[in-house]
Amino acid sequence: MPRFGELEAAIMEVMWSADKAITVRDVRDRLGREPAPAYNTVLTVTEILYRKGWLAREKHGRAFRYWPAGSRDDYTAQLVAEALDSAQDRAAALVRFMEKMEPGEMAEIRRALDDAKAADRRPR
Amino acid sequence: MIVTLLLLGHALVLSTAGTAALRRAGWPSRAPRLAIAAWLGMSASIVAAVILAGLTATSAAVRSGAAPGRCYGPVRWPCAPEVFSEMGVLAATGAVAALALAARATWCLIAEFRAAARERSLRLDALTLVGRADARLGVTVVDHVTAAAYCVPGRRARIVVTSGALAALDDAQLSAVLAHERAHLRQRHHLALTASRSLVRAFGPLPPFTTARSQIAFLAELAADDAAAKRSGRLTVAESLLTLSEAVPAGAPAPVLAAGGTATGARARRLITGTRPLGPVRTLLGLTVTAAVLTAPLAAAGPVITTAVACCGSSSTPAHVLCAPGCPAQPA
């Protein structure tokens, strides 16, 4: 039994590679899992993804058709932007290993680092 | 009453002179973890002192406003002062202020930790969907050109590295970066940060709390740098800092924390120069002072409050049994 998050990820994978809106039945077929997960499981997880805002949907006849609310790149960009924005970062707060330095400051520190490395290498 | 004023003075001195002194001190750079404890201890001491000032004001008012004999035997609260007398107003004000402050601090602490957990869980959901696990490095890789590395703390803690960072860093630098992030997780820096944020949330942008927040964020980076330096060598850590900083796209916000440059610059310079860790004697001294600052308000307020409670608060015990000398509750 795969973990819940893995099935979510697999369904998003299917959605991102689909070229049009698809039904839950299509998703289940395209998951390519042997044995295929139960229809109800796929339905539940797809609806969770919809509620979390990852998927959009529209009713066609009796069934909903789903498509991704944003591209994978959109989400990745958003994720990285959030992580780099320390002002509103509550989740990790210490996330940024980094911030941009002025070229002058950067050059000065580079020089200091090179000097220190040279001093380290010099035999004592 | 004197104790109330002392407690308020304690809070005021810590908020102004104490905050300024700790920010200017040189030793935090040599003992960042001790300094984090000092900032947290000072913040907690300020809040505790103000709350206890309210309670001691109530205690003092209850005692001095009590008519002889009124505190005797089973009593209802407020037992002693006339409700509309000056002392009654003071007693009520002190109690209400103390309870309101304590409630607000507690509420915001809980709210901030819950908000942090919620945000982490959203972040982890997104990571599960767009990231891929790298079993060899033990990290989650996100495909993005911006070089960045960060950790998502908590029970399902993870370290996240962008593909841009993997491309920019060589093996030695990468292991330095990972050691840095693992130190954040191991030393649970997020708890100190969330606690310091909750005080800003509770009491607004007051200098002692905002300073504590930004200083703790910076000191957590220093502590993680030290752990990484122990593993990878300080020059390698400095180099990885510069590499990642160079790879950050222009226009990204660069808050100036340290004098004369960015916080990253200050960290790099510190790694290049090298720091001598604080010796055991001074570390012990620092811990002692922190503990003293933290317990002083309680030690000062404790006797005043317990005396008042003993005099007037007990409804099941005849008050004269517990009454301290000077309590106006002795029956005539």
Side-chain angles (χ1 to χ4, degrees):
Chain A
M1 179 84 184
R3 273 179 39 230
F4 212 53
E6 283 174 278
L7 187 53
E8 284 183 309
I11 291 175
M12 282 312 292
E13 211 59 65
V14 168
M15 291 288 179
W16 277 320
S17 56
D19 46 6
K20 58 180 171 61
I22 55 176
T23 63
V24 171
R25 198 164 294 282
D26 295 334
V27 174
R28 180 169 172 261
D29 294 343
R30 293 185 190 198
L31 278 172
R33 298 203 168 180
E34 218 40 71
Y39 176 82
N40 274 336
T41 311
V42 180
L43 178 68
T44 308
V45 176
T46 305
E47 277 178 350
I48 288 172
L49 286 168
Y50 167 73
R51 275 203 304 278
K52 284 182 178 174
W54 288 81
L55 295 177
R57 71 179 184 187
E58 208 171 59
K59 196 144 197 172
H60 275 258
R62 284 170 51 219
F64 280 108
R65 292 194 184 168
Y66 294 85
W67 67 95
S71 74
R72 188 191 196 113
D73 287 348
D74 291 345
Y75 284 113
T76 310
Q78 195 190 332
L79 193 70
V80 174
E82 275 170 8
L84 289 174
D85 180 5
S86 64
Q88 40 169 289
D89 185 65
R90 231 188 226 118
L94 16 103
V95 292
R96 291 157 322 130
F97 190 67
M98 233 351 58
E99 84 238 316
K100 195 78 185 163
M101 276 188 255
E102 291 296 308
E105 185 180 16
M106 180 64 95
E108 168 227 313
I109 295 173
R110 273 270 175 231
R111 261 199 312 280
L113 179 60
D114 290 343
D115 290 351
K117 282 203 293 197
D120 247 21
R121 258 182 251 120
R122 215 173 294 140
R124 285 154 217 233
Chain B
M1 208 38 48
I2 287 176
V3 174
T4 306
L5 294 176
L6 282 178
L7 285 168
L8 289 176
H10 174 87
L12 195 65
V13 168
L14 285 188
S15 302
T16 52
T19 301
L22 188 50
R23 190 173 52 184
R24 272 199 304 268
W27 64 265
S29 155
R30 296 172 58 193
R33 297 178 74 180
L34 175 62
I36 291 174
W39 279 110
L40 285 178
M42 194 154 82
S43 293
S45 185
I46 291 170
V47 176
V50 176
I51 291 172
L52 290 169
L55 291 182
T56 51
T58 303
S59 303
V62 165
R63 282 183 57 187
S64 66
R70 292 275 310 262
C71 255
Y72 177 69
V75 285
R76 286 186 303 278
W77 195 92
C79 63
E82 297 298 334
V83 177
F84 294 111
S85 71
E86 282 165 31
M87 284 301 159
V89 171
L90 181 59
T93 311
V96 168
L99 291 178
L101 280 176
R104 176 133 189 95
T106 313
W107 169 255
C108 288
L109 193 69
I110 294 169
E112 194 66 27
F113 271 92
R114 292 184 62 173
R118 200 166 47 240
E119 210 160 294
R120 279 204 294 271
S121 143
L122 285 175
R123 200 70 67 82
L124 286 170
D125 278 356
L127 278 173
T128 308
L129 300 192
V130 302
R132 57 194 154 81
D134 185 316
R136 189 177 63 87
L137 296 171
V139 303
T140 302
V141 177
V142 170
D143 285 316
H144 199 271
V145 287
T146 302
Y150 61 94
C151 57
V152 184
R155 238 172 303 151
R156 299 188 286 157
R158 283 197 212 191
I159 293 170
V160 182
V161 182
T162 62
S163 51
L166 290 182
L169 299 162
D170 66 24
D171 281 354
Q173 293 171 1
L174 178 62
S175 77
V177 169
L178 296 185
H180 173 101
E181 297 302 330
R182 276 196 289 269
H184 276 320
L185 296 177
R186 199 177 49 242
Q187 299 180 9
R188 300 183 193 286
H189 291 150
H190 64 287
L191 298 181
L193 274 158
T194 307
S196 70
R197 281 165 168 267
S198 76
L199 287 181
V200 177
R201 179 183 184 139
F203 304 116
L206 295 176
F209 301 138
T210 51
T211 310
R213 184 186 55 181
S214 57
Q215 288 292 313
I216 289 173
F218 182 59
L219 290 163
E221 296 301 327
L222 299 191
D225 281 347
D226 288 349
K230 220 174 259 173
R231 227 187 126 78
S232 307
R234 57 188 168 83
L235 295 184
T236 311
V237 180
E239 196 144 39
S240 69
L241 266 175
L242 296 186
T243 306
L244 283 183
S245 176
E246 266 167 347
V248 172
V256 175
L257 250 181
T262 56
T264 308
R267 285 166 57 195
R269 276 186 220 102
R270 172 177 176 271
L271 285 162
I272 292 167
T273 337
T275 41
R276 211 158 31 84
L278 211 60
V281 175
R282 290 202 206 177
T283 304
L284 194 64
L285 183 69
L287 279 175
T288 313
V289 171
T290 302
V293 165
L294 197 52
T295 46
L298 210 58
V304 179
I305 294 170
T306 45
T307 310
V309 169
C311 281
C312 305
S314 165
S315 55
S316 56
T317 320
H320 64 270
V321 176
L322 293 167
C323 257
C327 182
Q330 297 294 343

